[in-house]
Each structure stands twice: as C-alpha cells, then as structure tokens.
Amino acid sequence: MSAKKEILVETDGPVGVITLNRPEALNALNHALMEQLIAAVEDFEAAPPIRAIVIAGSERAFAAGADIKEMDQATPAQMKADPHLSRWDRLGKCSKPTIAAVSGFALGGGCELAMACDMIVASESAVFGQPEILIGVIPGAGGTQRLTRAIGKSRAMELVLTGRRFTAREAHAWGLVNRVVPVEAFLTEAKKLAQEIAAKPPIAVSAAKDAINKALDVDLDTGLSLERQLFYSLFDTQDQKEGMKAFIEKREPRFVGK
Ligand code: DAK
C-alpha cells in the first residue's frame, strides 16, 4: 500500500468531506486511493456526529477512471481475484447519504464512483463518460447498470457503445445530476446540500435512502411493503415524536438522531 495520502479528509460540522488527491494522474482510482477512500467512508459511516458525506475531486478532474496503468497487463483471473475490487461495491452500500461533487473529468470508474453516490452536484465544466469501449473493455464498476437506470436504455446504450463523453448540462437534463453550478461553486453547493440533509432526522434519512434505492431493484408491491415497514419503524424514534410535537407547537424541531 502506498504511504502517500491519495485522499484528503476533513469534517465540516456534521458533514464529512473526502477529496480525491492524485492531481498528477487526474485522480485515477488506483488501489491505494480506493482503499483509503473506502476506509474514510467507513469511518464516517461509523461516526455518529457525521450525517452526510461529500466526495469531491479537483476543479480539473473528479476522477479519470480506474488506474489503467495498474490493470493493462492483467489476466481475467487476476482481475477477478483482486481483493481491491470488492471495495467498489462498498460506497453504494453506505447507510449515510453521499453526494459527489464533480468538476472536470468523471470518466469510466470516475463516472461510476459519482453514480454510486446518492446525488451528484456538478460544475459547468464537468464531463462525464464511460469510455471503456475505446480501450477494449466495458464498464466494470456499475456503469452499464447505474447509467441505464438513471438515464434509460437507449441513451446508455449509445454512450457506452460509442464511449462519447457528455456534459453536465446533458447529465442534468437526463436526470443523472441534481444540479449544475458555476465551477467555483461546485464544492460549496455540494456541502450546502449535505448540510441541509444533515440537519434532518438521521434515522428517517437513512430509511428514506434505503427505500428509494430499493425502488430501482424490486417490484412495486415489494417496494411499497418495504416503505410501509420503514415508515412504521420510525414511530419508535424520538425524532418522530419531536418532529410531530414541534409541528403542533409551531416551533422548529430539535432532532437528536434517536
Ligand atoms: N489511469 C491512469 N492514468 C491516467 C488515467 C487513468 N484512467 N487518466 C489520466 N491519467 C494520467 C495520464 O496518463 C497522464 O499521466 P502522465 O502521462 O502525465 O504520467 C496524466 O493523468 C494526465 O493525463 P493526460 O495527459 O492524458 O491529460 P489530458 O488532459 O490530455 O486528457 C483525459 C485527459 C481524462 C481525457 C485522458 O487522460 C484520458 O482519456 N484518460 C483515460 C480515461 C479513461 O479511459 N478512463 C476509463 C478507464 S477504465 C472495476 C472497477 C473499475 C473499473 C473497472 C472494473 N471492477 C470493480 C471490476 C474502471 C475502469 C476504468 O475506469
């Protein structure tokens, strides 16, 4: 493992911020970076005061993909056996809300990393794409699945089969990106959204996230049933009692996360 810090980690009140930090390689997602990134996500997930997580790149690059120089000579068996690859699935399973702050290149694994987050705030200069076809492969970290779910089959098919890049505006029009903001504002806007969500009752936030994610995977009846179970379970929380009491008393609620 590289001793170098491939990411920077900071907190801003209840928001954990992870910044990818390999500028020399446009934040290409090598093993060391992915290991550090997932460790940081797990730390934030385990820390009660942290209620939302922002994953950011630089202005020039969110991430230009998995590190091609680490895999160009690999065999199928080596790729399959690589213990680092399981880390790619971990982010999507994080129970706390995650927001990708994307500027510049979000290509290949970079686009997949952004899509594994719950929401994407993009700068006007953000460029998305799944260019794997141009180097002889296909997306391997969720690109064919998450992109298709987000923007529909025809568009995903064209983008993955041609490797064509697409802009933040296109991504926004297609529903992949929550909002497009001026370059200088992409990180602050992502943090602002994270702060807004972090102020909400965290058990309800986590339940809502779980239910929405399931909506993409299960049939409607199963989804409705899951939603109902989660809804009922929240009546066991102090925050539900406080939220409804505060409404009746015409005051702001004070959520405690219990
Ligand atoms: N890997 C390694 N190095 C990269 C890189 C990458 N993906 N992208 C850029 N770099 C490095 C360049 O090699 C260069 O390094 P030096 O030559 O200076 O040492 C430096 O970053 C600056 O890049 P450029 O000189 O190329 O900069 P330009 O502005 O001219 O071009 C670019 C920027 C982003 C258009 C270009 O760098 C580019 O096309 N990059 C590659 C984009 C790409 O093909 N990405 C997809 C990679 S495949 C999986 C998990 C993940 C994946 C698959 C499976 N499992 C869990 C199973 C993911 C796969 C991929 O992402």
Side-chain angles (χ1 to χ4, degrees), residues 6-7 18-22 27 29 33 37 55-56 62-63 113:
E6 310 288 8
I7 58 164
I18 302 169
T19 305
L20 311 184
N21 186 37
R22 283 192 80 204
N27 289 332
L29 304 162
L33 188 153
L37 171 64
I55 298 180
F62 178 70
L113 185 68

Side-chain angles (χ1 to χ4, degrees), residues 22-30 34 60-61 63-71 79-80 82 84-89 105-112 129-135 137-142 165:
R22 283 192 80 204
E24 72 284 2
L26 303 180
N27 289 332
L29 304 162
N30 65 1
M34 284 305 292
R60 182 165 180 231
D67 195 317
I68 298 169
K69 296 166 191 171
E70 274 187 350
M71 63 182 163
M79 286 303 288
K80 203 170 164 190
D82 190 335
H84 293 287
L85 296 184
S86 65
R87 296 202 166 85
W88 281 86
D89 296 328
F105 299 111
L107 302 177
C111 188
E112 289 168 313
Q130 297 291 165
E132 289 87 344
I133 203 82
L134 305 175
I135 53 171
V137 289
I138 67 169
R165 298 182 202 157

Side-chain angles (χ1 to χ4, degrees), residues 96-150:
K96 293 183 178 175
T98 52
I99 299 171
V102 176
S103 183
F105 299 111
L107 302 177
C111 188
E112 289 168 313
L113 185 68
M115 291 192 295
C117 292
D118 299 319
M119 288 156 279
I120 302 177
V121 173
S123 89
E124 281 162 348
S125 78
V127 178
F128 297 85
Q130 297 291 165
E132 289 87 344
I133 203 82
L134 305 175
I135 53 171
V137 289
I138 67 169
T144 62
Q145 303 304 301
R146 289 200 173 97
L147 190 64
T148 306
R149 282 165 165 78

Side-chain angles (χ1 to χ4, degrees), residues 46-233:
I50 297 298
R51 297 194 172 171
I53 300 168
V54 171
I55 298 180
S58 67
E59 231 176 79
R60 182 165 180 231
F62 178 70
D67 195 317
I68 298 169
K69 296 166 191 171
E70 274 187 350
M71 63 182 163
D72 62 316
Q73 295 302 319
T75 64
Q78 284 166 338
M79 286 303 288
K80 203 170 164 190
D82 190 335
H84 293 287
L85 296 184
S86 65
R87 296 202 166 85
W88 281 86
D89 296 328
R90 182 61 182 85
L91 176 61
K93 297 191 189 333
C94 178
S95 60
K96 293 183 178 175
T98 52
I99 299 171
V102 176
S103 183
F105 299 111
L107 302 177
C111 188
E112 289 168 313
L113 185 68
M115 291 192 295
C117 292
D118 299 319
M119 288 156 279
I120 302 177
V121 173
S123 89
E124 281 162 348
S125 78
V127 178
F128 297 85
Q130 297 291 165
E132 289 87 344
I133 203 82
L134 305 175
I135 53 171
V137 289
I138 67 169
T144 62
Q145 303 304 301
R146 289 200 173 97
L147 190 64
T148 306
R149 282 165 165 78
I151 70 173
K153 178 185 148 182
S154 301
R155 286 193 195 107
M157 195 67 85
E158 181 178 336
L159 292 168
V160 171
L161 267 49
T162 63
R164 178 172 81 74
R165 298 182 202 157
F166 52 103
T167 64
R169 297 258 168 238
E170 286 176 301
H172 184 252
W174 297 337
L176 183 71
V177 154
N178 290 70
R179 60 192 68 165
V180 183
V181 300
V183 177
E184 60 278 10
F186 80 98
L187 187 53
T188 43
E189 282 298 320
K191 285 184 184 170
K192 216 154 86 184
L193 178 57
Q195 291 287 357
E196 188 182 342
I197 294 165
K200 304 293 182 288
I203 301 174
V205 165
S206 171
K209 167 172 169 157
D210 191 17
I212 290 168
N213 279 333
K214 289 283 181 345
L216 297 171
D217 297 334
V218 301
D219 64 85
L220 184 60
D221 275 349
T222 309
L224 289 172
S225 159
L226 173 84
E227 179 191 79
R228 208 140 305 155
Q229 292 314 313
L230 288 166
F231 176 79
Y232 296 149
S233 72

